[in-house]
Each structure stands twice: as C-alpha cells, then as structure tokens.
Amino acid sequence: MATKILMVCLGNICRSPLAEGILQSKLPKDKFHVDSAGTGGWHADELPDSRSMKIASKYGIDISNQRARQFQVQDFHTFDYIYVMDQSNYQNVLQLAPNEIVKSKVKLILDEITPNKKAEVPDPYFGGEDGFEHVFQLLDEVCEQIAKRLIK
Ligand code: 4NP
C-alpha cells in the first residue's frame, strides 16, 4: 500500500500546494500518495494562488490540477505523515486530533532539516513574488530531505 503524506497550511492555496507538488516530483508515484489541505475552508475548491502556480512552473512543476480543501478529522486516519507549515497550523491541527496516537503523525515541516528550532515556512499570501521564491526554496530543500528518508 502507498505511503500517504499530507501537507497542511492555512488556506491551501499558497504553501501546501507547493509542498505537495514539490514532494510529489521527488517520489515514485506508485509507492507514495501526496495531498494537501488547509486548516481554513475559505478557499475550498479554488485553484492554487497564481503566484504559487507561477513559481512552481518556473521550476518545472505543474500544480494547476490541485483544488483547495479543508483539513478534516478523517485525514488523521488516512495519512501516515502530516506536515504543517507553521506553529499556528500545528495548533489548529492538533486541536482536532481524536487521540494522542494520531498527534504523533503531525510535524512542523522544517523540523526535518532544522530539528527543534521551531522554524516556520512564512505565509507569503500578503507579500510580493519574492516571498514565493523564498517559500519554494525552503520547501524544495526540506522535501529533498523528506524524500531521501522516505525512499531509503
Ligand atoms: P496559505 O496562505 O496558508 O499558504 O495557503 C494563505 C492563503 C490565504 C489566506 C491566508 C494564508 N487568507 O487569509 O485568505
């Protein structure tokens, strides 16, 4: 059965769609399923932010097939790993956890490269295109590390 990884941010239109597309591009499709969701539901069914689609496409990744959705309690059972972008996502997801066991699936994504630093992938939504380049580079680095660990 495929290993399932869920990327979570607030709106599921900027950061987590990029994380989904980047990690997917580094893993064999037959063995891994990567998805993303937002803790908020305001953007449900929307395309990723045009700036996320643009930066992904600059690096050869097409995320235009994605549509936003809200994180749901069932995701704790469906997914093996749940990566959140920042502390507020972390708190929002943990609040929904039905038991302690599933809480251990939830990790701050940048802990994979800088453990215990509580580093966050900054929300680029209200900023300019530079922010999206920065987010892409951060996610590319951490997804490379996650993919290496998952494949070995
Ligand atoms: P994301 O960015 O969490 O990376 O998708 C945001 C997108 C939308 C909003 C906030 C953050 N919003 O407030 O609508």
Side-chain angles (χ1 to χ4, degrees):
M1 215 166 66
T3 301
K4 300 188 181 72
I5 304 115
L6 183 68
M7 301 297 193
V8 178
C9 63
L10 174 59
N12 192 211
I13 55 167
C14 297
R15 293 166 292 176
S16 60
L18 278 174
E20 175 186 335
I22 293 168
L23 185 61
Q24 211 161 49
S25 76
K26 296 178 188 292
L27 292 171
K29 285 202 171 27
D30 56 330
K31 296 198 176 71
F32 295 92
H33 172 69
V34 189
D35 192 10
S36 65
T39 57
W42 318 283
H43 295 283
D45 299 324
E46 289 179 18
L47 280 164
D49 188 284
S50 58
R51 296 163 296 176
S52 281
M53 292 197 285
K54 190 173 163 193
I55 200 74
S57 141
K58 176 180 169 187
Y59 293 102
I61 297 172
D62 183 3
I63 59 169
S64 65
N65 60 321
Q66 296 186 32
R67 296 295 179 275
R69 72 169 179 89
Q70 188 166 18
F71 180 87
Q72 51 186 40
V73 173
Q74 180 59 37
D75 291 325
F76 285 114
H77 307 293
T78 305
F79 291 89
D80 303 296
Y81 301 92
I82 299 171
Y83 287 113
V84 299
M85 303 295 128
D86 64 31
Q87 291 288 346
S88 115
N89 308 149
Y90 189 72
Q91 297 306 332
N92 288 332
V93 168
L94 282 198
Q95 272 170 15
L96 298 172
N99 59 56
E100 292 302 311
I101 297 167
V102 299
K103 283 186 182 175
S104 66
K105 294 182 177 183
V106 186
K107 293 201 166 65
L108 205 50
I109 191 166
L110 292 182
D111 275 5
E112 294 288 332
I113 42 174
T114 48
N116 306 314
K117 290 274 195 299
K118 298 194 172 173
E120 301 186 322
V121 180
D123 187 346
Y125 186 62
F126 293 106
E129 299 212 352
D130 285 5
F132 284 79
E133 178 74 47
H134 178 58
V135 163
F136 185 94
Q137 296 305 333
L138 275 176
L139 289 173
D140 191 54
E141 186 185 348
V142 73
C143 287
E144 187 68 31
Q145 179 72 20
I146 291 169
K148 261 191 207 152
R149 292 211 179 119
L150 287 171
I151 289 170
K152 74 163 191 245

